[in-house]
Amino acid sequence: MGFGRSLVRVALSGVIVCFSPTIFAAPATFVTALPVAQNQALVRFNVQPALGNSGYRSLQFPVNVGYGVTPSWALFVNINQGYVHLDHNQASGGTGDLLIFLRNTLYKVDKPKSTFRVAPLVGVSLPTGGNQRMMNGAIAPGELQTGSGTFDPYAGITSGYNTPRYGAALDATWRYNPIANSGYSPGTQLRADGQVEFTLLPLHLPDEGLPNLLLLSLEANYAQNADAHIDRVRSESANKIFSQDAIFEIASLHWEAGAGAQFPVMEDFMSPAAVKEHVGFYAFFEYYLSTPGWRHRKRKE
């Protein structure tokens, strides 16, 4: 199935997830839908350990920074770094590629008890990581590379709907990975994510103000990767992965923290020797440098 047809299917599935009768706040597994108001900055620190076959152990530390340039435009920078270990003492770590993108709120509906947003986004991934790590005289597996070696265009769309008790968010993104002149080149990626979230505590929200909240976020992630290339030679490594996540979050007026787990429920790999993730974990802490406008407004009204 081509990327275009898959994108339509995933986007439609995401719409169904988004408007299911459950909730919204800050997704843990994707950051494209993070709320940020004009002249407001947010910083999110993430810790993401994961375990898999072939002795796969990963510990990633992404940092996400967002800034509201205008009421409609927001700028995001995603900084990636981490460590990966495979069997036979194969290991790699360091800084990954840097992702920069702009998001524009193209359509919005504000009501006394709800908000709805649709926002396309466009950006580029900069080759700040490495794609030519060697292992036993050959290019190391893709899991041990930290970058793509090229400038990678990035585009997508995200939306969110929220009320005082529940909400939802979704996105669909596409990252085009050109073939590098040498080294490892990952395949072009299509990704889609959906989230529903609801407030567990307090049971009764006050008419004014924003109390501390305990929330449960249920998320789903789909990724479809094309074949990679090694020294410009195609490697049969295409795959499709669908995962489910459950994250508990605590939110206050100026900060939010969360922790949870991710479990792959469908993994389709072209190569039988592919490294597969068995379980992943998420923990994050984000801080707003000014009042988070969307949340504050929805609680007061």
Side-chain angles (χ1 to χ4, degrees):
M1 179 179 292
F3 270 178
R5 188 178 301 174
S6 297
L7 178 59
V8 172
R9 174 183 291 182
V10 172
L12 290 176
S13 300
V15 170
I16 294 172
V17 171
C18 178
F19 292 99
S20 297
T22 333
I23 200 169
F24 172 88
T29 59
F30 59 104
V31 298
T32 55
L34 286 180
V36 57
Q38 183 180 12
N39 297 325
Q40 178 188 72
L42 71 88
V43 181
R44 172 184 281 202
F45 301 94
N46 305 271
V47 178
Q48 299 174 357
L51 302 172
N53 68 334
S54 300
Y56 176 79
R57 298 194 300 273
S58 172
L59 185 60
Q60 304 298 315
F61 300 96
V63 178
N64 314 116
V65 180
Y67 178 72
V69 182
T70 72
S72 299
W73 288 93
L75 173 67
F76 289 86
V77 178
N78 295 345
I79 306 164
N80 299 287
Q81 55 276 313
Y83 170 84
V84 173
H85 178 274
L86 297 177
D87 278 339
H88 310 299
N89 293 321
Q90 300 180 82
S92 177
T95 301
D97 286 353
L98 180 73
L99 174 63
I100 301 173
F101 66 89
L102 277 169
R103 186 184 71 192
N104 176 248
T105 302
L106 192 64
Y107 178 77
K108 63 181 180 180
V109 177
D110 292 321
K111 295 183 178 181
K113 293 291 185 178
S114 67
T115 63
F116 176 68
R117 299 286 189 271
V118 177
L121 54 95
V122 62
V124 63
S125 181
L126 308 181
T128 53
N131 74 320
Q132 300 194 39
R133 180 177 176 81
M134 305 294 290
M135 192 69 64
N136 298 323
I139 296 294
E143 291 79 13
L144 298 179
Q145 306 293 344
T146 61
S148 67
T150 57
F151 290 86
D152 308 329
Y154 177 78
I157 189 168
T158 184
S159 65
Y161 173 78
N162 61 315
T163 73
R165 296 298 314 188
Y166 63 89
L170 68 86
D171 76 354
T173 59
W174 178 73
R175 173 173 165 169
Y176 173 66
N177 290 315
I179 301 174
N181 291 328
S182 61
Y184 177 84
S185 298
T188 293
Q189 183 185 74
L190 165 71
R191 180 183 171 101
D193 309 275
Q195 179 225 28
V196 291
E197 180 179 84
F198 58 92
T199 303
L200 300 177
L201 295 172
L203 298 178
H204 301 287
L205 296 174
D207 294 332
E208 295 185 1
L210 176 65
N212 292 344
L213 305 175
L214 175 63
L215 309 115
L216 174 63
S217 179
L218 302 176
E219 305 183 20
N221 317 109
Y222 174 81
Q224 178 175 323
N225 298 279
D227 285 332
H229 288 74
I230 299 176
D231 288 336
R232 302 191 66 84
V233 177
R234 185 171 67 90
S235 171
E236 290 194 354
S237 55
N239 59 73
K240 301 175 184 178
I241 304 170
F242 181 76
S243 302
Q244 293 283 356
D245 322 86
I247 299 100
F248 287 97
E249 301 178 8
I250 300 174
S252 74
L253 185 61
H254 295 288
W255 59 266
E256 184 167 335
Q262 177 182 76
F263 301 94
V265 295
M266 187 278 289
E267 294 181 298
D268 182 9
F269 287 83
M270 291 289 293
S271 171
V275 175
K276 300 180 181 180
E277 182 177 308
H278 294 330
V279 60
F281 301 93
Y282 286 87
F284 72 88
F285 175 83
E286 69 184 34
Y287 185 78
Y288 286 84
L289 302 184
S290 61
T291 301
W294 289 1
R295 281 194 208 127
H296 185 63
R297 198 162 51 239
K298 81 177 182 181
R299 301 301 182 185
K300 284 188 66 176
E301 294 171 346

